[in-house]
Amino acid sequence: MKSKIQGMNMNKTLQAVIFARVSTREQENGYSIEAQINRIKIYCEHKKIPILKQYTVVESSTRGERAKFFEMVAFVKKQQSPIAIICDKLDRLQRNFNEYHLFVDLVNNRGVQLHFVTENEIIRQNSNGYEYLKYQFGIMMAESYVKQLSDNVKRSMRAMPEKGEYPHFAPVGYINQRTDRHTTTIVEDPIMGPIVRKIFRDYATGLYSLADITKMANDLGFMTVRKTQAHKQTIINLLNNPFYYGYMRCYNNLYRHKYECLITKKQFDACQTILHQKSAPKKRKIIDVYRGLIHCKNCGRLITPDPKTNRYGKQYTYLLCPHCKGTCINENIADKQVQDDLSRLKKIPEKWLNKVLEKINEDIKQEHKLEIEQQRVLKSRLTQLMNKRDALLDMRLENSITQEQYNKKLDTIMKEKEDIEERLYNYSKLTFNGLSSLKDLIHLISNIPDIYKNSNYDEKRKILKLLYSNLFLEGKNCLFSIRKPLEILLSRGHHQIWSGLLDSNQRHLAPKASALPG
């Protein structure tokens, strides 16, 4: 069969399969594919080889399964007549030796020819050793080019962190955004960013467990980069990621990045303190609302819950101090005393609270004007710092300063930047959340006894932590120390009830003339 193939006039029976390839969508949208096809068609017209089929492929020659490439190979194998696979350049067909033996088999056993237009090379069945050597050398050069590109990319990626740029895909809460054809940046994700902020903010309060945060995140629509829901470990990894407050982990080092921070360093540290506690509290069979909240008035130690079961099988709990005799109270009685103390809040007239709210609203508006001016000053200073950072980097790249000088000055700039960003963050919290928080507080004060009575175990603990600074047990009585802002409202409300309707200039009234003698 080989002698028969060698003896026929190849230009009369030979048919061409055109193969043009680019490796990216950007090249596909340009003129690379069209330019390859035009040169190959001119070549076929010159060689008088009819075109049987044309393949235009957008895929990498070194990554993936190369589906279109093997589709072309399968088509060539099915043909009965001699086929010439024609490419513009050798590296359009292959860039390593993975397919070398595949083409050698096609050439030697099936009479296939390989034509490379730019190199003006043809590999056919009767090619000599020198022609095969040039073919192999071309593959080696193409493979070397790919490796050089890879090395350049790796060097570029390793240099990016030094300039504050993140060389990887943006973490959840951020998105990669293209600024122009060759550069990208990282900006806050308008959907996931607020959810990430809330995760840090709520967990930093210490009122929520990881299970609570995970459930809350999924209820809000949290999705990972891979479009899956959050799990407990997902939240742990997120809380441990310093990227959200301005630092990025790259190549086993920590670098400052230049992107917007979603949280402050203080919030991150608060989450770390809670997250890395030595041991999590063991789950108890008996649910105790006051565990860890009440101290003994005499010795200052925490009160211990002591569950009991009577002869009828009914369970109840005593709160007692193991070091002070007589300091003991039934939990139900303690709960009744708490509800009685909370009922004091109902004595504050809602009308008076609304007047306070109006006054605070006016103060917020005045402070908002000052805040806007202060924010303008801070943002101006932030811009100056960023310009200083860029100028410092230019000086380092020009070797005007040493690496040690650069690091020292950069550290000073970035610390001031973090301080300004935290102040701006706190300003924004006051502006947008101050008034609504006050309204929520008024609603809470007006209804707190009923809310507490109908709350579950977790909700009661949150209310106690929010409203009371200290809870003590003295003998069989609970002593309450309500937080100072609420205590002020209570005292003002009490005076309002008793003296609100009296004349502010109180004095003895003169007797009527008719009542005087004579």
Side-chain angles (χ1 to χ4, degrees):
M1 180 178 176
K2 291 183 181 180
S3 59
K4 183 178 179 181
I5 293 174
Q6 291 174 353
M8 65 177 58
N9 186 341
M10 300 303 294
N11 283 343
K12 289 184 179 180
T13 60
L14 195 65
Q15 290 181 295
V17 172
I18 294 176
F19 187 81
R21 182 188 66 83
V22 291
S23 58
T24 65
R25 291 285 176 184
E26 291 179 7
Q27 287 177 302
E28 179 191 23
N29 294 334
Y31 299 97
S32 182
I33 285 280
E34 183 180 349
Q36 290 180 53
I37 295 296
N38 288 339
R39 284 192 291 268
I40 292 172
K41 286 183 176 180
I42 292 172
Y43 176 85
C44 291
E45 185 178 350
H46 177 72
K47 295 286 186 178
K48 297 181 180 179
I49 305 175
I51 298 173
L52 176 62
K53 194 171 181 64
Q54 175 179 311
Y55 286 89
T56 55
V57 181
V58 181
E59 63 186 11
S60 172
S61 62
T62 56
R63 294 181 181 180
E65 299 178 354
R66 301 197 67 186
K68 287 289 185 179
F69 169 82
F70 285 105
E71 180 184 327
M72 181 270 294
V73 172
F75 175 80
V76 170
K77 286 182 177 180
K78 291 179 182 178
Q79 305 308 308
Q80 298 298 320
S81 60
I83 297 295
I85 300 175
I86 304 179
C87 302
D88 183 42
K89 294 178 67 176
L90 187 149
D91 64 3
R92 297 299 88 197
L93 185 65
Q94 60 185 126
R95 274 186 163 168
N96 53 43
F97 284 91
N98 293 344
E99 296 91 9
Y100 174 74
H101 294 289
L102 170 65
F103 287 121
V104 169
D105 177 70
L106 289 175
V107 170
N108 291 333
N109 297 326
R110 296 179 179 271
V112 175
Q113 297 182 13
L114 306 179
H115 291 235
F116 307 114
V117 175
T118 301
E119 291 92 342
N120 195 24
E121 297 289 340
I122 301 176
I123 300 298
R124 51 169 68 92
Q125 195 175 38
N126 59 354
S127 293
N128 56 36
Y130 177 69
E131 290 173 327
Y132 269 101
L133 180 63
K134 289 198 294 182
Y135 174 43
Q136 294 171 351
F137 186 74
I139 298 173
M140 184 177 67
M141 292 298 294
E143 187 174 26
S144 175
Y145 176 73
V146 170
K147 290 181 177 179
Q148 287 177 12
L149 286 177
S150 176
D151 291 340
N152 291 338
V153 170
K154 289 177 181 178
R155 280 195 296 270
S156 175
M157 290 181 67
R158 285 193 172 273
M160 287 176 69
E162 297 289 348
K163 297 184 288 184
E165 298 174 353
Y166 193 53
H168 307 295
F169 196 78
V172 61
Y174 291 91
I175 53 174
N176 294 85
Q177 188 177 79
R178 185 168 293 280
T179 55
D180 55 49
R181 185 175 179 182
H182 301 290
T183 59
T184 60
T185 188
I186 294 176
V187 297
E188 180 182 346
D189 187 336
I191 298 175
M192 298 306 303
I195 298 177
V196 172
R197 290 179 193 269
K198 182 171 176 58
I199 288 172
F200 276 96
R201 184 172 63 248
D202 288 359
Y203 191 71
T205 64
L207 300 175
Y208 302 92
S209 66
L210 283 170
D212 295 333
I213 295 293
T214 304
K215 183 178 183 304
M216 177 271 293
N218 287 328
D219 290 343
L220 291 174
F222 182 92
M223 298 292 286
T224 66
V225 174
R226 297 185 178 181
K227 304 303 178 186
T228 60
Q229 282 195 322
H231 298 282
K232 197 172 179 179
Q233 190 59 47
T234 309
I235 301 300
I236 292 174
N237 294 340
L238 185 145
L239 293 171
N240 279 322
N241 192 345
F243 194 96
Y244 299 104
Y245 78 90
Y247 283 78
M248 53 188 173
R249 289 194 185 99
C250 297
Y251 311 114
N252 299 321
N253 289 312
L254 207 60
Y255 300 89
R256 291 186 181 89
H257 66 65
K258 63 180 184 179
Y259 313 111
E260 180 183 359
C261 299
L262 296 187
I263 61 169
T264 65
K265 178 69 162 57
K266 189 180 293 184
Q267 283 180 308
F268 182 81
D269 290 340
C271 291
Q272 293 299 296
T273 301
I274 298 169
L275 192 63
H276 297 111
Q277 290 174 344
K278 290 186 178 179
S279 61
K282 294 181 180 179
K283 189 173 182 180
R284 291 176 56 83
K285 295 181 181 179
I286 302 299
I287 295 176
D288 175 41
V289 175
Y290 301 98
R291 170 169 292 277
L293 298 180
I294 302 182
H295 291 77
C296 176
K297 183 66 175 177
N298 296 325
C299 64
R301 292 184 173 90
L302 277 172
I303 294 301
T304 302
D306 184 22
K308 299 288 185 181
T309 305
N310 62 18
R311 58 181 178 177
Y312 302 108
K314 185 177 179 181
Q315 291 186 340
Y316 57 94
T317 302
Y318 275 104
L319 305 176
L320 57 87
C321 177
H323 301 279
C324 300
K325 292 183 179 180
T327 304
C328 178
I329 188 173
N330 189 300
E331 187 181 60
N332 293 330
I333 296 175
D335 200 57
K336 179 66 169 57
Q337 292 182 8
V338 170
Q339 292 182 41
D340 291 342
D341 187 73
L342 291 175
S343 65
R344 293 189 301 149
L345 297 174
K346 279 192 171 182
K347 295 180 181 179
I348 303 175
E350 187 174 351
K351 181 179 179 181
W352 187 84
L353 287 174
N354 288 332
K355 288 184 177 180
V356 173
L357 182 59
E358 290 174 6
K359 174 61 177 167
I360 294 176
N361 192 15
E362 292 175 6
D363 293 341
I364 286 179
K365 288 180 179 179
Q366 292 298 322
E367 289 213 6
H368 183 52
K369 295 178 181 177
L370 298 174
E371 178 188 326
I372 291 174
E373 178 61 24
Q374 185 64 14
Q375 281 183 322
R376 187 189 65 78
V377 174
L378 290 175
K379 288 178 180 179
S380 175
R381 178 58 182 162
L382 197 60
T383 302
Q384 292 176 7
L385 288 174
M386 295 300 96
N387 292 336
K388 281 187 177 181
R389 185 191 65 180
D390 295 340
L392 190 67
L393 179 60
D394 291 338
M395 292 171 66
R396 179 68 193 102
L397 295 175
E398 294 169 0
N399 292 322
S400 301
I401 57 174
T402 64
Q403 185 66 43
E404 184 179 355
Q405 291 172 324
Y406 172 78
N407 292 338
K408 186 176 180 180
K409 187 63 178 176
L410 181 63
D411 189 59
T412 303
I413 292 173
M414 297 309 292
K415 282 182 179 178
E416 186 176 354
K417 174 179 175 288
E418 290 172 6
D419 179 62
I420 291 175
E421 287 176 341
E422 184 168 352
R423 290 168 66 185
L424 285 170
Y425 175 78
N426 291 332
Y427 274 135
S428 63
K429 281 176 42 177
L430 174 64
T431 302
F432 295 109
N433 300 330
L435 190 58
S436 61
S437 297
L438 287 168
K439 290 179 179 177
D440 293 341
L441 179 61
I442 287 175
H443 175 75
L444 180 66
I445 290 173
S446 303
N447 300 279
I448 193 63
D450 297 330
I451 293 173
Y452 183 84
K453 186 177 180 180
N454 298 316
S455 296
N456 59 30
Y457 163 77
D458 290 324
E459 290 168 345
K460 283 186 175 182
R461 287 183 63 85
K462 290 173 187 175
I463 290 173
L464 292 174
K465 288 180 180 180
L466 287 170
L467 297 184
Y468 291 106
S469 57
N470 289 301
L471 290 171
F472 292 103
L473 183 62
E474 186 177 35
K476 296 185 179 298
N477 294 311
C478 285
L479 305 178
F480 308 96
S481 178
I482 204 162
R483 294 194 181 274
K484 193 167 184 179
L486 292 176
E487 190 63 53
I488 293 173
L489 288 175
L490 281 170
S491 62
R492 295 292 175 86
H494 176 76
H495 294 312
Q496 180 73 8
I497 291 171
W498 296 106
S499 62
L501 300 178
L502 297 178
D503 191 342
S504 59
N505 184 18
Q506 297 176 33
R507 58 191 182 278
H508 293 290
L509 297 176
K512 293 183 179 180
S514 59
L516 295 175

